[in-house]
Amino acid sequence: MSATTVYVPRDAAALAAGADEVAERIAAEAAARGRAIHLVRNGSRGMFWLEPLVEVATPLGRVAYGPVTADDVPGLFDAGLLEGAAHALCHGATERIPYLAKQERLTFARVGVTDPLSLADYEAHEGWAGLRRALALAPAAIVQEVLDSGLRGRGGAAFPAGIKWKTVAGAQAAQKYVVCNADEGDSGTFSDRMTLEGDPYMLIEGMAIAGLAVGATKGYVYIRSEYPHAVAVVQEAITRATAAGFLGENVCGSGRAFHLEVRKAAGAYVCGEETAMLESIEGRRGIVRAKPPLPALAGLFGQPTVINNVISLASVPIVLARGAAFYKNYGVGRSHGTLPFQLAGNIQHGGLVEKAFGLTLRELVFDFGGGTRSGRPVKAIQVGGPLGAYVPESRWDTPLDYEAYAAFGAVLGHGGVVVHDDTADMARLARYAMEFCALESCGKCTPCRIGSTRGVEVIDRITRDERRAEQVILLRDLCDTMLAGSLCAMGSMTPYPVLSALDHWPEDFGITAPERKAA
């Protein structure tokens, strides 16, 4: 009898829930029963409430069981786990689970499906197709393909990737670089980590294509130190890709070089800002640089540099493999393609949802997320990380696209969605935003460094009712100064959660309802 393939995730979220213990118990149980299995440690499917999610390959496709504990394993074997038989933990065919079936997985098509470090697995699922097409194109044609796709930066700024690439390609220099910003520090976000751990070759392929497009021969992946599993997987993937000829002096036999290295971040949130990250890579303290010059012209070590987020670069292979028109056909308005939204906070079904731009927050949080874990009503939803606005119910039906959110003073950012129920104190959350900025500020500019500290003090006076009306005016003036005068988004975006909380939930600050601003 041939071996049955069993999948147990190696993703950090699954490991935290006991995936290693489950994998060991499955291997031991199979051996004890004389059953041959092929155990694959895949990435996560992104349904974290079901982790560890065990899948079994059957003639009719993969069947899912979860959440599985080590103690569940003998009973699963008794019930017919290796045949995909019914059990209380069985969810049927994995691909038909509604949470997955309703998604549009382009970037995350392989995550959870393949062995992250298997080159054969990667190639069997359209891997390297984009790189091979790029090698057949002139550099300018690669850049044009990315431009035509409408791909914008997925790290938060939403700047068109193709324009950045075109600038670097046109710069004259003996050495150019490609840098991947994998310093994913936003609360409630994990799409970068899932990519690094679950499909590292996709990022490597995207960076190699970027190198070919702009004439860069060296790349760095800057990964936050709190992601040890991601660091280990990416380093191993680089080693294997280099040995197989997809990186190195002679990429795919083309005679063109692209070398890749991992750099580990040191725990500073501000190093998610591109110029602070460059300072860190160069061995200095992570402090924001003034612009100009732009990093595209004078970036890493003073040379022209492409800087993109993990998801931005990971989206490139499918653009090249299937063409710009295919990718651009997803989304709405100027927001093309898909975005991996990450559902976190007080939510029943936390996890990753990749959808084309244009769905609504209500669809995400209720249709996918199942509402709050507490069972209480949703009060506020923070979109775009710790510096994103708190979105009130009146905006939950606004299409999720960059321009629509910018129109009411919010951001999509990196796609993080953090849910709060009706017990949340919005004044405390606003205070936390200022406190977070004070702790994480690099200190270079006064509006951020001093403004955030004063912000905490002012919010405290408001909640203590010390000249409240006067302090509210002062808080708004302070936010205006930070918005207009900060050197980077660290200071200029901190007012977003503060003002949104103040505008939509004034009662939490002790302000009477008539002072509420229109939604």
Side-chain angles (χ1 to χ4, degrees):
M1 183 183 289
S2 61
T4 301
T5 303
V6 179
Y7 299 85
V8 181
R10 57 182 293 167
D11 180 272
L15 296 179
D20 277 348
E21 293 81 359
V22 170
E24 289 170 10
R25 191 67 180 270
I26 288 173
E29 197 69 25
R33 295 175 185 237
R35 299 296 301 271
I37 66 167
H38 172 51
L39 187 62
V40 175
R41 303 304 301 273
N42 56 325
S44 173
R45 294 278 193 161
M47 298 180 288
F48 290 155
W49 74 98
L50 295 179
E51 293 292 4
L53 183 74
V54 175
E55 295 180 72
V56 179
T58 76
L60 298 178
R62 281 157 69 162
V63 176
Y65 298 81
V68 176
T69 67
D71 291 341
D72 293 324
V73 172
L76 283 165
F77 270 82
D78 289 341
L81 170 72
L82 300 187
E83 290 72 44
H87 185 275
L89 296 176
C90 183
H91 300 277
T94 311
E95 300 295 340
R96 293 180 190 169
I97 296 173
Y99 192 91
L100 282 180
K102 293 188 293 182
Q103 296 189 36
E104 291 148 324
R105 290 208 164 182
L106 302 184
T107 309
F108 279 76
R110 280 177 297 266
V111 179
V113 176
T114 60
D115 175 345
L117 287 172
S118 168
L119 283 162
D121 237 3
Y122 184 67
E123 191 148 10
H125 291 81
E126 206 178 357
W128 310 117
L131 178 60
R132 289 192 172 106
R133 180 167 177 247
L135 285 165
L137 297 174
I142 302 173
V143 172
Q144 193 61 48
E145 197 78 16
V146 175
L147 272 169
D148 292 344
S149 74
L151 175 64
R152 294 164 71 175
R154 298 294 192 248
F159 188 79
I163 292 177
K164 191 178 287 187
W165 289 24
K166 189 173 184 178
T167 304
V168 177
Q172 299 301 309
Q175 178 67 59
K176 298 178 183 179
Y177 297 98
V178 177
V179 175
C180 173
N181 186 344
D183 191 34
E184 185 178 49
D186 285 356
S187 50
T189 61
F190 41 81
S191 62
D192 287 0
R193 180 190 58 72
M194 283 182 63
T195 301
L196 298 169
E197 294 178 6
D199 198 4
Y201 295 125
M202 174 172 60
L203 173 63
I204 290 170
E205 183 178 359
M207 293 186 72
I209 291 169
L212 294 172
V214 305
T217 58
K218 183 77 176 177
Y220 292 91
V221 186
Y222 185 80
I223 306 176
R224 67 190 305 235
S225 57
E226 296 90 342
Y227 285 175
H229 302 292
V231 170
V233 170
V234 174
Q235 285 178 329
E236 179 61 24
I238 289 171
T239 299
R240 295 188 187 192
T242 302
F246 295 106
L247 292 173
E249 280 298 318
N250 189 19
V251 174
C252 294
S254 66
R256 301 169 73 177
F258 189 72
H259 300 270
L260 202 51
E261 288 184 27
V262 170
R263 285 290 181 270
K264 194 159 68 172
Y269 179 79
V270 76
C271 285
E273 195 280 332
E274 60 181 11
T275 63
M277 176 187 65
L278 295 180
E279 290 287 301
S280 178
I281 294 173
E282 291 177 14
R284 292 187 290 273
R285 181 180 166 213
I287 296 181
V288 175
R289 297 177 183 175
K291 300 175 190 175
L294 296 171
L297 298 175
L300 188 62
F301 304 117
Q303 302 304 311
T305 306
V306 166
I307 304 173
N308 282 127
N309 153 270
V310 172
I311 303 301
S312 309
L313 289 161
S315 300
V316 169
I318 198 168
V319 170
L320 268 293
R322 301 194 191 181
F326 168 82
Y327 192 80
K328 192 171 186 176
N329 195 44
Y330 288 85
V332 293
R334 290 174 50 211
S335 300
H336 298 287
T338 61
L339 185 65
F341 295 96
Q342 300 122 88
L343 304 183
N346 189 339
I347 193 156
Q348 187 71 25
H349 296 150
L352 184 132
V353 177
E354 184 177 359
K355 287 286 287 182
F357 292 96
L359 83 162
T360 68
L361 206 50
R362 195 182 300 275
E363 290 175 89
L364 261 184
V365 171
F366 294 96
D367 294 355
F368 285 95
T372 62
R373 187 181 180 91
S374 64
R376 301 184 65 88
V378 176
K379 179 175 182 175
I381 305 171
Q382 188 172 33
V383 180
L387 307 183
Y390 289 102
V391 181
E393 186 174 3
S394 60
R395 293 292 185 183
W396 294 352
D397 296 309
T398 301
L400 284 156
D401 84 75
Y402 294 120
E403 279 64 45
Y405 265 57
F408 68 90
V411 294
L412 292 189
H414 185 45
V417 175
V418 179
V419 178
H420 298 269
D421 73 10
D422 62 351
T423 63
D425 182 338
M426 302 310 294
R428 287 183 64 190
L429 290 174
R431 184 189 190 280
Y432 172 74
M434 285 292 191
E435 185 180 30
F436 177 80
C437 182
L439 287 168
E440 296 291 347
S441 173
C442 77
K444 186 165 185 175
C445 71
T446 303
C448 178
R449 182 183 72 252
I450 302 300
S452 54
T453 302
R454 298 288 88 86
V456 171
E457 297 167 357
V458 172
I459 292 172
D460 283 345
R461 287 197 290 271
I462 291 171
T463 56
R464 290 196 301 262
D465 197 14
E466 297 177 11
R467 306 188 309 278
R468 181 175 286 148
E470 177 185 314
Q471 295 302 311
V472 168
I473 294 170
L474 183 60
L475 180 60
R476 291 189 182 280
D477 285 348
L478 180 62
C479 286
D480 285 344
T481 300
M482 293 178 71
L483 280 164
S486 297
L487 193 57
C488 81
M490 181 81 228
S492 65
M493 285 185 65
T494 294
Y496 280 48
V498 176
L499 291 174
S500 58
L502 185 61
D503 289 345
H504 299 296
W505 296 275
E507 60 276 10
D508 285 9
F509 293 80
I511 301 169
T512 53
E515 293 186 46
R516 182 191 292 271
K517 281 196 169 185

